[in-house]
Amino acid sequence: MSDDTISVLFVCLGNICRSPLAEAVFRQVVTDAGLEDRFRIDSAGTSGYHTGEPPDPRTSEVAARRGVDVIGSSRRVTQDDVASFDYLVAMDEDNRQVVERMAAGAGGSPEVRLLREFDPDGDGSLEVPDPYFGGASGFEDVHDLVERSARGLLDHLRERHRL
Ligand code: 4NP
């Protein structure tokens, strides 16, 4: 991987709903822009509740209907992640704080952000709400937020890195 690769790790709690979706949507947005060779994109969770499990089927089904393939198996954020990724993009404030603390102790210098900082149509909230314990409409709403924010994130990174 070349030195000018921009690495982005999406982070949520379980790594089965929000962050694997953000990973998949962002990868698609990046690929559509012809920039896939410039990025390393992954996702992880701050808990180990679902380690090894595939994405939640409710997430995958909503995404599939919108032409996005959500893949992978849940894994926990590691010290190596926070030391090596350029951007840690969290879905909510709790998870942002966890990775910020981890990064402070790991000797890396990632930029730690919330995904919805890049939502151009934000309603004031900077969080992608956790859909896990809610109904089906929550997964549709999460998909909308993630899609808008992923495009906003790429716009930001294109400007920042002159892509
Ligand atoms: P995620 O959703 O953080 O978006 O993957 C959740 C998945 C599982 C749990 C909580 C949130 N859980 O408590 O098991």
Side-chain angles (χ1 to χ4, degrees):
M1 202 161 284
S2 65
D3 282 342
D4 59 6
T5 297
I6 301 161
S7 53
V8 182
L9 182 72
F10 295 97
V11 179
C12 63
L13 179 64
N15 192 216
I16 54 170
C17 297
R18 293 165 293 174
S19 64
L21 176 66
E23 174 192 346
V25 169
F26 186 66
R27 182 172 288 118
Q28 185 151 321
V29 167
V30 163
T31 301
D32 288 348
L35 292 168
E36 63 273 24
D37 293 345
R38 298 297 308 278
F39 283 89
R40 172 184 170 214
I41 303 165
D42 199 358
S43 67
T46 57
S47 79
Y49 299 154
H50 296 275
T51 297
E53 293 179 21
D56 188 305
R58 297 169 294 178
T59 294
S60 315
E61 280 159 22
V62 171
R65 266 191 268 116
R66 300 177 187 221
V68 176
D69 197 12
V70 185
I71 53 154
S73 61
S74 174
R75 72 176 186 84
R76 200 166 184 174
V77 185
T78 66
Q79 289 293 319
D80 188 50
D81 289 328
V82 299
S84 68
F85 275 86
D86 301 317
Y87 294 91
L88 305 177
V89 182
M91 300 301 122
D92 59 38
E93 182 57 20
D94 284 349
N95 290 297
R96 191 191 67 75
Q97 286 183 18
V98 171
V99 289
E100 192 164 68
R101 274 198 302 274
M102 285 178 74
S109 51
E111 192 164 316
V112 184
R113 306 292 293 259
L114 287 169
L115 180 62
R116 286 199 72 200
E117 289 177 52
F118 305 101
D119 181 351
D121 301 333
D123 55 8
S125 170
L126 289 179
E127 304 206 333
V128 179
D130 180 352
Y132 186 71
F133 293 107
S137 69
F139 287 83
E140 302 280 355
D141 294 344
V142 160
H143 195 108
D144 290 339
L145 301 179
V146 166
E147 199 169 85
R148 292 202 304 264
S149 305
R151 292 181 195 287
L153 174 61
L154 181 60
D155 289 344
H156 170 80
L157 295 176
R158 288 187 85 150
E159 201 165 305
R160 177 90 176 267
H161 296 272
R162 301 179 189 284
L163 298 173

